[in-house]
């Protein structure tokens, strides 16, 4: 009977250790509740022209962005090593000034496949590693 208790205790210990290990190594959403002001689009400086700065916001699995005119949105999922999967998104479609570069931004937004966060700076890349958007933490 004593041997059986010892065997049960060992199994319980290993199960608990495995559960702790899994919870410690589970992926965390680094982007969740982060907001960034867009400073570059396709390797050129981006200057906000509207009343509000151009931004990209990540919150509760949803990404919202705007470069001045319309709201752009999509669900997102973070993967390993900076992988970022953007769901099928949408946008309001009000006519805005060409200077907002909104069509260019939407195209870049829809091509995001990964990111690199370094301090207060985040850079988004397409699937081939081409830099799309650079932003600074607000």
């Amino acid at each position: 009977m004593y041997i059986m208790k010892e065997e049960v205790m060992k199994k319980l210990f290993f199960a608990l250790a495995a559960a702790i290990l899994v919870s410690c190594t589970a992926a965390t959403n680094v982007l969740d509740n982060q907001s960034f002001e867009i400073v570059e689009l396709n390797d050129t400086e981006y200057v906000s022209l509207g009343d509000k700065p151009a931004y990209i916001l990540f919150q509760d699995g949803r990404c919202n962005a705007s470069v001045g005119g319309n709201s752009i949105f999509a669900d997102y999922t973070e993967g390993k090593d900076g992988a970022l999967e953007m769901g099928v998104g949408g946008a309001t479609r009000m006519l805005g000034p060409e200077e907002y570069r909104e069509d260019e931004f939407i195209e870049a937004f829809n091509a995001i496949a990964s990111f690199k966060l370094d301090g207060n700076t985040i850079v988004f890349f397409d699937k081939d590693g081409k830099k799309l958007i650079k932003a600074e933490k607000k």
Side-chain angles (χ1 to χ4, degrees):
M1 185 97 178
Y2 178 73
I3 295 172
M4 206 162 139
K5 284 184 183 178
E6 188 177 314
E7 200 60 38
V8 169
M9 290 299 286
K10 281 183 184 177
K11 287 181 182 179
L12 186 59
F13 172 77
F14 286 117
L16 183 59
I20 291 170
L21 181 63
V22 166
S23 69
C24 289
T25 59
T28 57
N29 290 333
V30 221
L31 297 178
D32 200 31
N33 296 314
Q34 300 281 340
S35 183
F36 302 91
E37 186 174 336
I38 298 162
V39 295
E40 281 183 20
L41 178 58
N42 293 323
D43 263 342
T44 61
E45 180 182 19
Y46 187 86
V47 178
S48 296
L49 300 172
D51 333 2
K52 301 176 193 171
Y55 70 90
I56 188 162
L57 164 72
F58 295 88
Q59 189 169 25
D60 300 325
R62 189 102 172 130
C63 178
N64 293 292
S66 178
V67 288
N70 292 289
S71 295
I72 297 117
F73 46 87
D75 292 335
Y76 75 93
T77 306
E78 288 182 51
K80 290 183 178 182
D81 300 324
L84 186 61
E85 183 179 328
M86 301 296 275
V88 175
T92 56
R93 293 304 297 171
M94 298 179 292
L95 188 58
E98 268 187 52
E99 294 82 23
Y100 283 3
R101 297 169 60 190
E102 197 163 59
D103 290 337
E104 183 183 356
F105 176 75
I106 290 171
E107 188 176 319
F109 181 87
N110 288 330
I112 292 173
S114 65
F115 71 95
K116 181 177 180 187
L117 182 61
D118 187 11
N120 289 332
T121 303
I122 190 164
V123 179
F124 297 95
F125 303 93
D126 70 8
K127 64 181 176 52
D128 298 321
K130 177 186 171 221
K131 183 165 75 166
L132 300 169
I133 300 166
K134 180 178 176 182
E136 301 289 331
K137 197 176 283 190
K138 291 173 111 177

